[in-house]
Amino acid sequence: MVGLKPSEVPPTTAVKFLGAGTAACFADLLTFPLDTAKVRLQIQGENQATQVARTVQYRGVLGTILTMVRTEGPCSPYNGLVAGLQRQMSFASIRIGLYDSVKQFYTPKGSDHSSIATRILAGCTTGAMAVVCAQPTDVVKVRFQASIHLGPGSNRKYRGTMDAYRTIAREEGLRGLWKGTLPNITRNAIVNCAEMVTYDIIKEKLLDHHLLTDNFPCHFVSAFGAGFCATVVASPVDVVKTRYMNSPPGQYRSPLDCMLKMVAQEGSTAFYKGFTPSFLRLGAWNVMMFITYEQLKRALMKVQMLRESPF
């Protein structure tokens, strides 16, 4: 590594793991209101919604956020932020930070490049691993984002994030904390493939054809393309996942039952409810996360090189 710049030194797995979680938390801080708006739009129209939910109607991304601020207070778009950050620190660290390592594991020895099939397999693997580890944080996050509190007198089911974990485990059992794991694994396998594989391929092609250098413009274009692809392919599963995880016990027998009832009651367009906030959120989130991730990898490698330098 002597004489090499930090950008030229391959980052270690630990650097990628820490960098991915930190970058994802930073991106979540900036885009969390869009994610909350997406959840509210996705659950709108459920037959067994409460009377309060039926009196509040959301229209569009900005309209949803403004309605929440007006009826529930200025902090309401950030309901569930603590669980969201806990989720990203465990979830993104695995699905993004370990992607390159898993991709190398699946790549045949002696091969210079990983095939698309290998990248997809790596994306599915890290996506599924991340869900299994981080599912309870996702359940709590969605419950907070979906809950409506109209004024100080309204009933709050959870006093805080840790109370939410305890309450769900007590009322629904430990299985309640892993509710919706199957649709979430499906959703995140798709999202991870779309995000990581698309980002990987776009960035590789831009560099191979000397269209851009390995810097901000290249990372921005690659991340934006990854966000769009992820939204298009994952939106139907995301809607089912959100509704199933937020549903009270007994409302749906399974994720498939949730999907069938949704189609029967609202039509196939329900699969793309909240598409605009989903795209705004995923697009913005991917741009911020990947740009921050790339810079963090270089900064952490620079720190590591300085610590290892004898001078």
Side-chain angles (χ1 to χ4, degrees):
M1 298 198 305
V2 177
L4 294 177
K5 298 177 182 179
S7 59
E8 298 171 340
V9 180
T12 63
T13 301
V15 164
K16 293 177 185 176
F17 191 86
L18 177 62
T22 306
C25 286
F26 175 73
D28 240 32
L29 282 171
L30 299 179
T31 62
F32 202 80
L34 294 173
D35 191 43
T36 303
K38 176 205 73 173
V39 170
R40 292 293 179 92
L41 287 168
Q42 286 177 335
I43 64 172
Q44 186 167 252
E46 282 186 290
N47 262 359
Q48 298 187 26
T50 64
Q51 184 63 40
V52 172
R54 286 196 292 267
T55 63
V56 180
Q57 293 296 314
Y58 304 114
R59 300 181 187 280
V61 186
L62 183 60
T64 300
I65 294 174
L66 291 176
T67 299
M68 289 181 63
V69 170
R70 186 178 68 252
T71 59
E72 302 174 56
C75 296
S76 57
Y78 279 92
N79 284 343
L81 177 63
V82 174
L85 295 179
Q86 291 172 348
R87 173 182 179 269
Q88 291 298 353
M89 204 64 215
S90 54
F91 183 73
S93 297
I94 296 171
R95 78 176 184 93
I96 298 171
L98 298 183
Y99 170 77
D100 285 333
S101 299
V102 174
K103 182 177 71 174
Q104 291 170 7
F105 174 78
Y106 285 140
T107 302
K109 291 183 179 180
S111 178
D112 293 332
H113 295 284
S114 301
S115 65
I116 293 179
T118 298
R119 299 179 203 213
I120 290 174
L121 184 59
C124 288
T125 302
T126 57
M129 288 167 57
V131 170
V132 172
C133 295
Q135 182 68 4
T137 62
D138 204 8
V139 171
V140 171
K141 177 183 80 78
V142 169
R143 296 284 179 95
F144 269 104
Q145 289 177 314
S147 61
I148 299 175
H149 306 296
L150 302 181
S154 62
N155 182 39
R156 286 182 178 270
K157 187 169 185 179
Y158 309 119
R159 293 191 301 272
T161 305
M162 298 311 297
D163 179 61
Y165 288 115
R166 288 192 295 267
T167 302
I168 294 171
R170 184 175 64 251
E171 294 181 355
E172 303 174 42
L174 286 177
R175 289 181 62 182
L177 289 171
W178 270 268
K179 187 175 186 178
T181 299
L182 183 58
N184 212 12
I185 285 177
T186 305
R187 184 251 183 195
N188 282 293
I190 294 170
V191 168
N192 209 38
C193 286
E195 282 182 354
M196 297 305 300
V197 176
T198 304
Y199 182 84
D200 210 8
I201 291 174
I202 293 176
K203 180 182 174 183
E204 184 180 272
K205 296 303 179 185
L206 289 173
L207 296 177
D208 287 349
H209 292 85
H210 305 290
L211 298 174
L212 293 171
T213 58
D214 191 6
N215 272 306
F216 177 84
C218 176
H219 304 156
F220 179 89
V221 172
S222 303
F224 188 84
F228 180 76
C229 289
T231 309
V232 170
V233 299
S235 195
V237 184
D238 193 32
V239 174
V240 174
K241 180 213 79 166
T242 299
R243 291 196 175 194
Y244 187 70
M245 286 199 304
N246 184 58
S247 64
Q251 182 171 353
Y252 302 118
R253 293 191 302 272
S254 66
L256 179 61
D257 180 53
C258 176
M259 181 188 74
L260 294 175
K261 284 183 177 178
M262 188 171 68
V263 173
Q265 294 167 4
E266 303 169 58
S268 58
T269 55
F271 285 122
Y272 282 92
K273 276 193 170 184
F275 179 83
T276 301
S278 288
F279 173 59
L280 290 175
R281 195 258 175 180
L282 263 181
W285 190 91
N286 271 272
V287 169
M288 293 173 191
M289 192 284 298
F290 276 114
I291 289 173
T292 305
Y293 179 44
E294 296 282 5
Q295 298 307 312
L296 273 175
K297 284 193 295 184
R298 295 180 183 186
L300 290 171
M301 286 308 299
K302 186 175 183 180
V303 170
Q304 183 172 319
M305 288 173 67
L306 289 173
R307 288 181 61 184
E308 292 176 355
S309 175
F311 303 105

